[in-house]
Every structure is written in C-alpha cells, then in structure tokens.
Amino acid sequence: MKRCLQIIILITLNFFYHCAPRPVETPPVWLDQGQRMFESAERYFQNKEYPKAAETLLTFLQKYPRHQLAPAAFLKIGDIYSFLGETEKARGAYNRLISQYPQSPFVPNAQLGILETPFKEGAYPEIIRQAATIPEDMLTRLAAVRFIVLLGDSHKAIGAFEDAVYHYAKVFDKAAVQEKETIAAKIQESIPELKADEIATVLGRLGDTASSGYLLYQLGLLRAKKQQYDDAIKFLEQLVETFPEHEYATQAEILKDEFKEISLYWSKKRPVY
C-alpha cells in the first residue's frame, strides 16, 4: 500500500511539472561584426573622440560597404567632419550618402548637412537659395529645428531681419524646452531691427503662435515711442490676453497701465476748440 502511494505521488508531481507554465527565455541578441564596429564608433563619438569615431566608421565602410548601417555611417562621418570644420570632407561624405543611397531616409539630413557647410564659409545667399531643395516634412524634428534656425541665421547675416525673425518665430513652437531659450534670444536680438510695419507683416505670416508674444511686445514699445499710446495699449493687451504665460506678460501688464495713465494725462492737457 505504501509503495502504491509513493507511485501515485510521483505521477501527480510529474503531471504538474509538465503542465505548469515555464518562464519565457529571451534569445540572446547577436550583433554581427559590422554592428559591433559601428557601435564602437558611436562610443567614440559619445566620448567626443571625433577623429577616432570617423576613422572607425571609414574602416567600417571599407569592410562592410553593403551593410544596412552604411548610410548612417556616411551621415555620421559628414556630421563629424562638419563639426571639426573640415567642410570639403563633410560635403564628400554627405554627397556619397545621397548618390549611393538615394532612397535612404537619411538623405534629407545629408542635404541639410551640405546646406550647413556654406554657412561656415559665409555663403549665406547660397544657403537661402538651396533651402528650397530640402523637403522639410522629411526631416526629423531636431533636424527641422536646425534647418529653420539656419535659414534665420542666414537671413540675419545679410541684414534681412524681417525674414530672420519670421524663421526664428516659426521654429519656436517646434523647439524643445531646452532649445527655446536660444531661439528666444535670437528673436529678442533681431526684433529691435524691425520697423512697426515689418513686425505687423511677420505677425500676419505667423498667426497666433507663442513666439508672437515677442512681436506684440515690441510693436507696443514702438507705438509708445511714437506716442501712439492707444495702439501700444492694444498690442500689449493682446499679448496679455492671448499669451498670459508669456515671459513678457507681466511687464506688458505694467506698461499697459503706465501708457493708459500717460494717455489720460495728455487727453486732459489737449486743448478743446
């Protein structure tokens, strides 16, 4: 009897062992030699060892010219050389990406890289002319921000401040929080170069965007400078009501009240005929 009971227990345990769910084993991810070399270059890049990163990527392309990471390698090489100021080498890498992999999603980024090299050489009109060839909707968010800021900087460099401010203001809403501070500084630096009618034109092109607050504030100051206080108050009120969280909103509220007092004072001083 005891022997039979032992057999039954063993059979029962064996049944539950085979029926119980087993932990899922994740198969190991195997990297081929090309991927390992590419990742090695990426580590050099992250550590700011740019010459080593470029050298490793060039070796990668020599050994694995048909690797799926080849387009990314050409783009990274172009970015490294551009950062190091070696514009001819940068253009060469970008152009090889475009010619050898025309269907790659990295092509618009390579075109942007090519567009950035003339800026370092002061060829600002060339950048503005070539900008029309880049499909902005194909760029990543970060690349699109770089592209539009580049256009703003190029217009600013040739004294076209209206277009410069428009591009800075246009990209402001696309920018990440850490990017907005730099772009806002560019807007604030360029706006004083604009006349009131130019600011109004930019506002018309932009619509109600967060960056419009800077333009409304400056327009209010310009109107007050010409003693057009009613207009100044109108623009400052628009800023406060539309963008209550804007960095200039509090100051706009203060100025608006000051301009109302000045306007009231002069209306009482005005002679009645």
Side-chain angles (χ1 to χ4, degrees), residues 219-229 231-232 236 259:
L219 199 50
L221 294 183
L222 288 174
R223 290 291 191 244
K225 191 174 182 179
K226 292 186 176 182
Q227 298 184 349
Q228 298 171 347
Y229 295 110
D231 285 343
L236 293 174
F259 294 159

Side-chain angles (χ1 to χ4, degrees), residues 131-168:
T133 66
I134 295 182
E136 188 180 326
D137 58 340
M138 294 291 290
L139 296 171
T140 62
R141 186 206 63 81
L142 182 59
V145 170
R146 279 171 52 201
F147 173 59
I148 301 172
V149 169
L150 177 67
L151 279 176
D153 289 344
S154 299
H155 280 100
K156 179 184 175 184
I158 62 173
F161 290 101
E162 181 180 329
D163 285 322
V165 170
Y166 167 72
H167 283 98
Y168 295 146

Side-chain angles (χ1 to χ4, degrees), residues 169-180:
K170 175 185 174 183
V171 79
F172 186 82
D173 288 339
K174 291 185 179 182
V177 174
Q178 64 271 22
E179 298 163 338
K180 286 184 184 295

Side-chain angles (χ1 to χ4, degrees), residues 100-133:
Q100 293 183 23
Y101 305 94
Q103 302 304 316
S104 170
F106 294 122
V107 165
N109 293 73
Q111 291 175 313
L112 174 58
I114 291 172
L115 197 63
E116 287 176 327
T117 55
F119 188 86
K120 295 178 173 65
E121 299 165 346
Y124 310 117
E126 179 67 13
I127 293 171
I128 296 168
R129 186 184 65 79
Q130 289 186 17
T133 66

Side-chain angles (χ1 to χ4, degrees), residues 243-256:
F243 311 106
E245 303 300 320
H246 196 278
E247 65 173 300
Y248 284 174
T250 301
Q251 184 62 22
E253 190 74 56
I254 294 170
L255 289 175
K256 182 186 68 171

Side-chain angles (χ1 to χ4, degrees), residues 34 36-62 72-81 83-84:
R36 291 180 186 279
M37 185 173 289
F38 188 91
E39 289 195 357
S40 176
E42 186 64 29
R43 285 192 294 273
Y44 283 133
F45 184 84
Q46 295 300 328
N47 292 331
K48 300 183 180 180
E49 298 179 71
Y50 302 120
K52 281 187 178 181
E55 182 181 345
T56 304
L57 288 169
L58 289 168
T59 303
F60 163 82
L61 288 168
Q62 290 172 356
F74 276 119
L75 182 64
K76 183 69 77 174
I77 290 169
D79 289 345
I80 290 170
Y81 283 139
F83 178 78
L84 294 175

